[in-house]
Every structure is written in structure tokens, then in C-alpha cells.
Amino acid sequence: MSDEDQEKTSVPSEKRETWGHRIDGIITLLGYSVGEGTLLKFPYLCARNGGGAFLIPYLLFVGLCSLPLYFQEVVIGQYYQRGPVEVWKFCPAMKGLGLGSALVSWVYAMYTSMYFSWYLYFFFNSFFNPLPWSTCDNAWNTPSCVESTLRHTATNTTVNGTEYLQGDTNTTRLDLLNMSTDSVASATEEFWRFKALDISSGLAHLGSIRWPLFGCLALTYVAMYIMLVKGIRVAGKIVYVTFMLPLLLCTIILIRGSMLPGAIDGLLYMLKPDFTKLASPTIWIEACGYALHSMGTSKGIANTVSSHNQPNSNCYRLALIACIVDPLITIYCGLSIFTVLGHMAHVTGASMNDFQSSGLNLAFSVLPEAVTYLPLPQLWSVLVFVMMMTLGLDTTMPSLEILSEAIGDRFPQMTKRRWLLLLLVFVPSFLLTLPYTTQGGIYMLTLVDWYSAVPPVMLFGVVECVVLAWVVGVIRINMCTVEMYGQTIPRWLTFLTKYITPGLLMTILVYAFYAYRPPKYGDYFYPEWATVFGWLISVAIVLPTPCWMVYSVCKSDGTSFKQKLTRAFIPQDTKDEVPMDPAEQESLTHSLKPIPM
């Protein structure tokens, strides 16, 4: 080889912007991991899956599935200094997998930005006295409104077969023989459905745009644009605030909530396991899905953030820190929520089992009602929704950054005009999010979340493990870690990557498809055409992977299919930048075979 060829390396020659400090990247990854799911999904999943029993499979899947995937993504991102698509230059046939991951994150960013808009709407309404969702004498309330359905259930009395409700001003009499318990709704629920959403009858009737939500959504995108436009060094400093502030607020809520009557019941409900729940496959499917969701594996977040690391950062240490700290903070924040729910159950006389509602209902019906039972409810409401908004920023901003990184890697000249690059991402994202602001937007968002979140991510996780461990070979990943920070991959992590992780993910994925059930929102069941549309979303996300693989094989050099297939999985920098002699080609071919443990 010539001297010029020998000087070429696998690391890109372009100077990539790095974090101002090593810890900036770790905080960004932790902020994403502890994001909106901590308050929106985790308490709900705990409540419906036996409290502490859910923690067992959740922690198991974090260690056996999330950690190996997370580590691999950090390694390839830091080594190749590229975003989710171009990082697969070391295995060109799998660039479609990177594109699919970017699509998952883009779809995710759009509906989490809608979550943020709802948080913002509740935040603005938290300054009214009394809180607008605490009473039933508002214009949007119906005759079936009660200030609390939980208090209603606990304090009703029955005389001669007729139920009389104590303390209810709108509805004083219900015939239980003719009306179901769904005939009453709490003031909070009615505020959420009839004021915030002005909800329509179903997906077929999207209705008009809710202009207050439109304004909140516009503020959301403007705020995120301002925070990201100055580059990752500035964004890396902002994330300190958006990461630390929720922890501070969680601590305040946990300390104050623990002093309230009934708080201990909420804590015990979360921590005391109901082992009988472990016999249900549902808890294992949901724990696996949340473990992958929380860590952002197979969504491009780990390799995108780590692509800005210093080249000699210890990837193993970083992945280990993230996979230990994330569950701890998740559980810590969950405890703060359950102290409030325990007090709410104490005040209303309800059971903790009554809080087994969906994540959206927990965030926008149960928690807003819970703060009305606390001293200074306006203050607590502001704290809760500020906490939710900061967690939402930690999740949504990196998800949008993934798409901008993918475009910037493909068109490097655009990175010099970052303001324009972000506009190309933010404007289409804002326009595609507008349907969520309509009266039927909640139905659309639930459908998209149902089909875009778990199935593609699990499938991508299986493919990623198989490709990295068995096609590319762990030996090549080892070479990357040795070159960067002088250490090889621990053998136990290699074993997980090759055998345990893909096996577990495939088992869960197969059973998830077997146990599939169509989505629903509350009592609304989606029509068949909606489920077809949902599956089309999943297919559209997954389709780039096989399509790009076929394209890559077809365009590869070679006279036979076997040669084309082999070349399609050889790193671009190896086959394009460094001319190899026959002996080197033979050595590389052998390196693609599985290596012994």
C-alpha cells in the first residue's frame, strides 16, 4: 500500500463538534432515558402489573437487553463519529436499519411534542384560583360531573335501592340499575376531555384545530428551536437544567408527599411485589418494551449523542452508568408520584387499584386531581407540570436532533447553516403534528404510539444484535474499543450480545405478536381501517431495512451473488479507502465469521 493509503483511517476526516465536557454527553443520555416515560408510563405500568413485581422483569431486561444494545450503539457512534444512518458505513447493507431508527425517533418526537403542549396548557391553567379542573360549575361540565369519581365511589350511600351522593352539587341521584359507573366523570376528567381536548366521537371525526393547543404547540417548537440552534455545546449546558430540575422537584414532592396521610400506602403499593403477576406474559412484554423505550435503544439516540464524545471516552463505563442510573432515577421519581396517589386514596377512601389507568389518563386526569387534595394546590400543580415539561424536553429535543444529524451527515455542507438545517426538520415536524391538535387528535396520537413504539424497536433490536455479533463480528467491535480507550469488551457482555439478548428479544417479540390486541382509547374501539393504517405505519418504519439491504447487495461489486453479499457487509472505509490485497481480503472474510467465546 502507498503511504497515502496507509494514512487513511476508519475515523472520519471531518472535524465533528464535540461536547464541551465529557459529562455533557452522559447527562444528555441520562436526560433522554429519564424522560417523559418516567411519569407518563412507569407509574401506570407499575400500578397495573403488581407494583414491585413489575420491577423484577424491568430490571432484568435493562441488564440483559438494554445494556448490550446500548453499549454497542455507543461504541459505533463514538468510533465512526456519525449519526444513526451514516454510522452504519461499517456495515453498508444495514443503513436501512439506521434510517428506520431515525424514523422511529422522528415519529416519537412529534407526539411527545404534543405531550409537551398539553403539559404547557395545564401549566397555564395552574395559576387560576380555584384550579379549573377542581369544580363542576364550569361551562364545559356536564350534569354527570362529580368533583371526584373516587370520592363518589367511596362515600355514596344507598336507600331503598337508590344511591344518594354526598357532597355532589351537580348530580344528587343515580339509579344504579339503569346507569353504569361510567355515567359519572370527575371534574378533572371533564376538564381534560371537554375543555383541553374538546374531544370528538372518534378517529373518523377529527374535527377542527383546538387553537389554544395550536398556540402551545407553536411555543413548544419555537422554544426547542432556540435551545438547539446554537449547537450541541449550548444544548449540552441546557440539558443540565432540564435534567437536574425534575430531580429537584421530584425530591420536593417526595419529601412533602411522604408527610401526608396515606403516603405510606402508596409507597408500599409500588414497592411490595404481587408475585402472582409474574405468571402473566403481559408483565414480561410490557417490562421489555419499557426497558427498551426508557434507554432509547434501537432509536439512534445512543450512537447520535456518543458521536460527539471525545474519541478516547470509555464506552463501557458510560453504558454501565446509564443502565444503572436510569432505573434508579425512574424508581425514585415513581416513589414521589405514588406518595401523592397514596394520599389521594386516603382522602377519597378509594383503593390504590383504582389508579390502574392509562399513562395519559394518569398524567392528565389522576395527577391533576391529586394536586387538588394538597395544600396550596396551585403551587403543586405548577411544580408537577414544570417537572413534566422538563422531562419532555429531555426526550423530544434529542429525538429531533437525531433527524437533523442524519440529514447533516448525508449533506455535510448543511451543517454550516445549522439554522436552516433545523428549520428543515422543525417545520415539517410541526405541520405533521398539527392533526394531534384537533378534537380527534388524541385518537390519532394513541394509534400512532401503539404501532410505532414497541414492534419496530424490538425488531430492530433483534436485527442489530444479530448483525453486530454474528455478521460484523464481536472481534471488530473489540478492535474499535481497543483503538479508542485500550480495553476489550468484557466476555460476559459478549455472551449476552451473541446469545441471550437476541434470544430474549425474539421470544418477547413473537409472543407479543401472538398476544396482539387492537388499540383502544378509553371506551373507544378503533375501526378495522384504523388498525390497518396503524400496521402500515409499522411497515413504513421497518421497510427501509430490507429495501436498503437488497439495494446494497445489488450495487456491490462482484460476479456472483455470494461475492456481492459479502461485499455489502464489508465496511465502506475498508473496501473504499484502503486498497486490500488478496491476503487482507481473505483475513477480513474470516473476521466476519462468529468468533469463539
Side-chain angles (χ1 to χ4, degrees):
M1 279 183 277
S2 66
D3 293 340
E4 182 181 353
D5 291 330
Q6 289 177 342
E7 290 174 0
K8 294 182 178 180
T9 64
S10 58
V11 181
S13 59
E14 297 90 348
K15 180 67 176 177
R16 190 174 183 83
E17 187 179 14
T18 58
W19 299 107
H21 193 280
R22 289 177 186 269
I23 201 173
D24 293 357
I26 298 176
I27 294 296
T28 301
L29 287 172
L30 287 175
Y32 181 93
S33 300
V34 182
E36 52 82 27
T38 302
L39 297 182
L40 202 62
K41 294 178 183 267
F42 180 74
Y44 151 66
L45 291 173
C46 272
R48 64 171 283 174
N49 288 296
F54 178 77
L55 300 179
I56 298 173
Y58 164 57
L59 295 176
L60 191 67
F61 281 119
V62 167
L64 297 182
C65 295
S66 295
L67 176 58
L69 284 169
Y70 200 79
F71 170 72
Q72 292 176 128
E73 292 175 3
V74 170
V75 169
I76 62 176
Q78 180 174 304
Y79 186 77
Y80 283 97
Q81 300 279 289
R82 287 291 180 265
V85 180
E86 292 301 317
V87 75
W88 286 94
K89 63 190 297 183
F90 74 97
C91 186
M94 300 310 300
K95 280 190 177 181
L97 179 62
L99 180 57
S101 299
L103 288 175
V104 169
S105 288
W106 190 30
V107 172
Y108 180 59
M110 287 187 286
Y111 65 75
T112 54
S113 66
M114 194 63 230
Y115 291 161
F116 187 94
S117 303
W118 289 331
Y119 300 151
L120 194 59
Y121 183 82
F122 272 80
F123 171 77
F124 287 144
N125 281 275
S126 297
F127 293 94
F128 290 95
N129 186 21
L131 292 172
W133 55 80
S134 63
T135 63
C136 287
D137 55 358
N138 303 287
W140 59 82
N141 291 127
T142 68
S144 298
C145 175
V146 292
E147 291 189 1
S148 169
T149 52
L150 297 173
R151 188 190 296 273
H152 158 77
T153 303
T155 61
N156 62 66
T157 57
T158 303
V159 180
N160 297 327
T162 302
E163 183 180 51
Y164 293 87
L165 306 182
Q166 300 175 7
D168 174 21
T169 58
N170 277 34
T171 304
T172 57
R173 182 169 175 162
L174 290 175
D175 186 347
L176 295 181
L177 298 177
N178 297 325
M179 302 185 72
S180 69
T181 56
D182 291 335
S183 298
V184 294
S186 69
T188 308
E189 183 181 357
E190 290 204 347
F191 176 84
W192 165 236
R193 293 173 61 87
F194 303 136
K195 176 61 175 176
L197 299 179
D198 192 13
I199 195 167
S200 68
S201 59
L203 189 60
H205 304 90
L206 287 180
S208 59
I209 289 178
R210 293 277 297 120
W211 293 110
L213 297 181
F214 175 89
C216 290
L217 184 66
L219 284 176
T220 299
Y221 274 94
V222 169
M224 291 191 295
Y225 182 86
I226 292 173
M227 285 186 264
L228 289 175
V229 73
K230 292 298 183 180
I232 60 106
R233 283 181 175 262
V234 175
K237 303 306 178 186
I238 293 174
V239 80
Y240 280 87
V241 178
T242 59
F243 175 69
M244 299 303 297
L245 183 59
L247 294 183
L248 175 62
L249 296 178
C250 272
T251 302
I252 294 172
I253 294 173
L254 179 61
I255 294 174
R256 182 64 183 93
S258 299
M259 301 176 183
L260 298 172
I264 188 65
D265 296 328
L267 293 175
L268 290 176
Y269 185 83
M270 175 180 169
L271 297 175
K272 186 178 179 181
D274 179 4
F275 291 109
T276 59
K277 292 285 188 178
L278 295 176
S280 170
T282 302
I283 188 175
W284 297 91
I285 295 174
E286 294 187 342
C288 181
Y290 185 73
L292 297 178
H293 165 82
S294 177
M295 298 301 301
T297 51
S298 301
K299 291 182 179 179
I301 180 65
N303 57 50
T304 299
V305 173
S306 61
S307 70
H308 297 282
N309 288 352
Q310 296 293 336
N312 61 345
S313 297
N314 190 317
C315 301
Y316 174 66
R317 184 191 305 149
L318 192 155
L320 207 58
I321 290 174
C323 290
I324 291 174
V325 174
D326 171 53
L328 291 178
I329 295 180
T330 298
I331 294 171
Y332 180 74
C333 291
L335 290 174
S336 66
I337 297 302
F338 273 90
T339 59
V340 177
L341 296 181
H343 175 65
M344 181 179 178
H346 173 80
V347 171
T348 60
S351 166
M352 288 297 297
N353 291 324
D354 294 327
F355 301 116
Q356 296 181 18
S357 53
S358 70
L360 287 177
N361 191 48
L362 180 66
F364 298 109
S365 291
V366 177
L367 284 180
E369 182 176 338
V371 300
T372 64
Y373 300 110
L374 299 174
L376 300 175
Q378 286 77 17
L379 174 62
W380 287 106
S381 183
V382 167
L383 292 178
V384 165
F385 286 106
V386 166
M387 180 171 61
M388 288 183 169
M389 285 190 290
T390 51
L391 289 172
L393 286 175
D394 283 337
T395 300
T396 308
M397 288 198 302
S399 298
L400 290 169
E401 183 68 19
I402 288 172
L403 189 61
S404 66
E405 294 271 359
I407 298 173
D409 288 343
R410 185 67 182 86
F411 305 100
Q413 66 276 12
M414 294 195 65
T415 58
K416 299 177 182 178
R417 296 179 177 87
R418 183 171 173 81
W419 65 271
L420 179 59
L421 175 61
L422 287 180
L423 280 180
L424 292 177
V425 173
F426 275 61
V427 172
S429 300
F430 175 76
L431 295 177
L432 290 173
T433 310
L434 285 181
Y436 298 149
T437 66
T438 62
Q439 293 170 290
I442 186 68
Y443 302 114
M444 175 69 74
L445 186 147
T446 303
L447 182 71
V448 172
D449 178 39
W450 187 275
Y451 287 100
S452 68
V454 176
V457 170
M458 282 191 181
L459 182 60
F460 290 161
V462 173
V463 174
E464 187 177 314
C465 269
V466 171
V467 169
L468 291 177
W470 295 98
V471 179
V472 173
V474 179
I475 189 172
R476 182 170 289 139
I477 307 299
N478 256 321
M479 291 168 60
C480 294
T481 61
V482 169
E483 182 178 340
M484 287 189 294
Y485 56 91
Q487 296 180 15
T488 59
I489 305 173
R491 295 181 69 85
W492 66 269
L493 192 55
T494 299
F495 182 78
L496 288 181
T497 303
K498 294 178 68 175
Y499 303 104
I500 304 300
T501 304
L504 278 176
L505 288 179
M506 181 59 73
T507 302
I508 294 294
L509 182 63
V510 169
Y511 191 84
F513 277 110
Y514 171 76
Y516 163 79
R517 56 186 177 86
K520 71 169 189 172
Y521 176 74
D523 294 329
Y524 175 76
F525 290 89
Y526 286 81
E528 290 187 7
W529 64 266
T531 58
V532 171
F533 177 72
W535 281 116
L536 288 176
I537 294 174
S538 291
V539 171
I541 292 173
V542 172
L543 200 58
T545 302
C547 288
W548 188 273
M549 188 182 299
V550 172
Y551 168 74
S552 183
V553 171
C554 291
K555 76 167 188 174
S556 295
D557 298 330
T559 57
S560 66
F561 175 75
K562 183 178 180 180
Q563 289 179 338
K564 286 178 171 289
L565 184 63
T566 302
R567 297 291 289 178
F569 286 90
I570 293 177
Q572 282 181 340
D573 7 53
T574 302
K575 66 182 182 182
D576 292 336
E577 295 185 7
V578 183
M580 294 184 296
D581 56 35
E584 289 175 316
Q585 292 181 2
E586 180 68 18
S587 174
L588 181 58
T589 301
H590 284 307
S591 74
L592 292 175
K593 296 179 180 179
I595 63 171
M597 289 297 298

